[in-house]
Amino acid sequence: MEYVLPLQRLIEKFCTLRGVGYKTAVRYAFSVLDMSEEDAAEFAEALISAKRDICPCNVCGNLSEGGTCSVCSDSARDGSVICVVEDSRAVMAIEKVKEFRGLYHVLGGVISPMDNIGPDELRIKELLARINNGEVREIIIATNPNIEGETTAMYLSKLVAPLGIKVTRLAYGVPVGADLEYADEMTLMRALDGRRQI
Amino acid sequence: MEYVLPLQRLIEKFCTLRGVGYKTAVRYAFSVLDMSEEDAAEFAEALISAKRDICPCNVCGNLSEGGTCSVCSDSARDGSVICVVEDSRAVMAIEKVKEFRGLYHVLGGVISPMDNIGPDELRIKELLARINNGEVREIIIATNPNIEGETTAMYLSKLVAPLGIKVTRLAYGVPVGADLEYADEMTLMRALDGRRQI
């Protein structure tokens, strides 16, 4: 016996979330049935709004509510240092440390031949355009410490270093093979402090 | 630094699901950002539909898509035995065993003075009405094997037994203190087989 169709559909939708198996999806779906109709409607609106109202920052590619993100529009930030990250999860992870006062550049991924992602699929042109504006003195490459992240770091350093820009890489304080998103704040702080020139 | 507002709202909504903490909610919210706009819209529609299109069966109180649930509308089921459960999760758990061929009655909870739930808050009147129809010979009480479930079982048996109906209780094959929903099918099958008269 299957669940009633509307419930079955909701269970399948929960299954599409990262790390959710069938039993967990069933539990979540029943949680929704236990909600008030208003709460469910708000949940639905939040889902739609997240897709509709969030767009990449037109400067750095970080998440923003239309236009420029909160980091880029903060005039107190140091525009001479750009921290290059894979995605906005990494921006959030670094922001939590409250140590870095420069700007970001979100690549939107890493070079990964296995997934057919080459340099052209990343926001590298946009990075070079920002560098050519002249204000930038240092690029901190904060891609994840795995093979694809290292490859991307090497690629970027070869591209940017000849322009007379200092190119640094996060120190290997972050555990190799892990995701920036899950590093603790102490580790991230040390990684920022110990960054070294490539 | 907070996440952009629409993302923050979505994270908070995911936090309202049973068993979801903040970090997990963040992961789910980013999963949504990775979805296509259509998938997110379908997800939202599934949420709304689950609340809008599912209502209690007008016979047993189980989940149904308007009107009568699939068990009650199945004429091959044995109308002389009614299995009384707390909620529709328990119906699903027992249906999975494919052993029970009678009907169900969903109480919508259990007697719990701590939560201010007395017999009047449960669908007990509806159960007595079904019994008074005359066809019913046996009531299997399948509330969860914890204090509230036992109390409710005792209450029901005192109410129903004088009517000349056989009242049985699921055998203690289900592990004490656990939730029916998570019992394995073998255990549930033995519990059905070993039911005893109260």
Side-chain angles (χ1 to χ4, degrees):
Chain A
M1 184 200 182
E2 290 278 292
Y3 293 95
V4 280
L5 193 64
L7 190 61
Q8 191 63 40
R9 266 199 304 254
L10 184 57
I11 291 167
E12 278 155 23
K13 284 300 169 186
F14 276 120
C15 281
T16 65
L17 297 175
R18 195 147 61 105
V20 176
Y22 192 77
K23 278 221 157 184
T24 306
V26 170
R27 194 174 73 224
Y28 293 166
F30 274 106
S31 284
V32 172
L33 291 186
D34 291 341
M35 283 178 192
S36 71
E37 203 150 330
E38 295 79 56
D39 282 343
E42 277 175 26
F43 199 156
E45 171 55 24
L47 271 167
I48 291 172
S49 158
K51 287 300 292 182
R52 184 192 54 206
D53 302 333
I54 298 176
C55 61
C57 168
N58 50 27
V59 179
C60 71
N62 188 18
L63 301 179
S64 83
E65 275 190 271
T68 312
C69 78
S70 58
V71 177
C72 289
S73 43
D74 180 353
S75 59
R77 310 280 305 212
D78 177 5
S80 69
V81 187
I82 293 182
C83 180
V84 178
V85 294
E86 295 180 20
D87 51 33
S88 41
R89 278 163 252 223
V91 172
M92 289 306 310
I94 296 174
E95 279 299 284
K96 263 195 218 140
V97 190
K98 296 190 174 69
E99 174 89 357
F100 178 67
R101 298 302 302 160
L103 300 178
Y104 291 95
H105 192 82
V106 177
L107 291 174
V110 273
I111 297 171
S112 170
M114 296 275 284
D115 304 313
N116 267 326
I117 301 176
D120 293 344
E121 271 73 49
L122 306 178
R123 300 180 68 257
I124 292 177
K125 268 195 314 290
E126 290 85 344
L127 176 63
L128 294 178
R130 289 176 76 184
I131 290 171
N132 285 334
N133 278 357
E135 206 199 344
V136 182
R137 285 184 299 101
E138 179 180 355
I139 298 284
I140 305 173
I141 304 180
T143 49
N144 281 323
N146 51 31
I147 294 177
E148 291 84 4
E150 284 303 304
T151 308
T152 310
M154 289 311 297
Y155 179 88
L156 285 176
S157 91
K158 276 184 191 150
L159 210 62
V160 175
L163 306 175
I165 308 283
K166 186 174 169 194
V167 180
T168 56
R169 176 95 175 93
L170 277 195
Y172 259 115
V174 272
V176 176
D179 231 6
L180 263 194
E181 189 184 358
Y182 301 112
D184 64 276
E185 304 183 10
M186 231 16 242
T187 309
L188 272 171
M189 198 177 293
R190 291 216 184 118
L192 274 165
D193 281 338
R195 66 182 189 265
R196 56 185 174 71
Q197 191 154 7
I198 319 190
Chain B
M1 187 203 179
E2 290 276 292
Y3 293 94
V4 279
L5 192 65
L7 190 62
Q8 191 62 40
R9 267 199 305 255
L10 184 58
I11 291 167
E12 277 154 24
K13 284 299 169 187
F14 275 120
C15 281
T16 65
L17 298 175
R18 194 146 64 103
V20 176
Y22 193 77
K23 277 222 158 182
T24 306
V26 170
R27 195 174 71 224
Y28 294 166
F30 274 106
S31 283
V32 172
L33 291 186
D34 291 340
M35 284 180 189
S36 71
E37 203 149 330
E38 294 80 52
D39 283 342
E42 278 176 26
F43 198 156
E45 171 54 25
L47 272 167
I48 290 171
S49 157
K51 286 301 292 181
R52 182 190 57 205
D53 302 333
I54 298 176
C55 61
C57 167
N58 50 27
V59 179
C60 72
N62 186 19
L63 301 180
S64 83
E65 275 189 271
T68 312
C69 78
S70 57
V71 177
C72 289
S73 43
D74 180 353
S75 59
R77 310 280 304 213
D78 177 4
S80 69
V81 188
I82 293 182
C83 180
V84 178
V85 293
E86 295 180 22
D87 52 31
S88 41
R89 278 162 252 222
V91 173
M92 289 307 309
I94 296 175
E95 280 299 284
K96 261 195 219 143
V97 189
K98 297 191 174 68
E99 173 90 354
F100 179 67
R101 297 301 302 159
L103 300 178
Y104 292 94
H105 193 81
V106 177
L107 291 174
V110 272
I111 297 170
S112 171
M114 295 275 284
D115 304 313
N116 267 326
I117 300 176
D120 293 345
E121 271 73 50
L122 306 178
R123 300 180 68 258
I124 292 177
K125 270 194 315 290
E126 290 85 342
L127 177 63
L128 295 177
R130 289 176 76 184
I131 290 170
N132 286 333
N133 277 356
E135 207 200 344
V136 182
R137 288 184 298 100
E138 180 181 355
I139 297 284
I140 305 174
I141 304 180
T143 48
N144 281 322
N146 50 33
I147 294 176
E148 291 84 6
E150 284 304 304
T151 309
T152 310
M154 290 311 297
Y155 179 88
L156 285 176
S157 91
K158 277 184 191 149
L159 209 64
V160 174
L163 306 173
I165 307 283
K166 186 175 167 194
V167 180
T168 56
R169 175 95 175 94
L170 276 194
Y172 259 115
V174 272
V176 176
D179 229 7
L180 264 193
E181 189 184 359
Y182 301 112
D184 64 276
E185 305 184 9
M186 230 17 240
T187 309
L188 272 171
M189 198 177 291
R190 291 215 182 118
L192 273 165
D193 281 337
R195 66 183 187 263
R196 58 187 172 69
Q197 192 154 6
I198 319 189

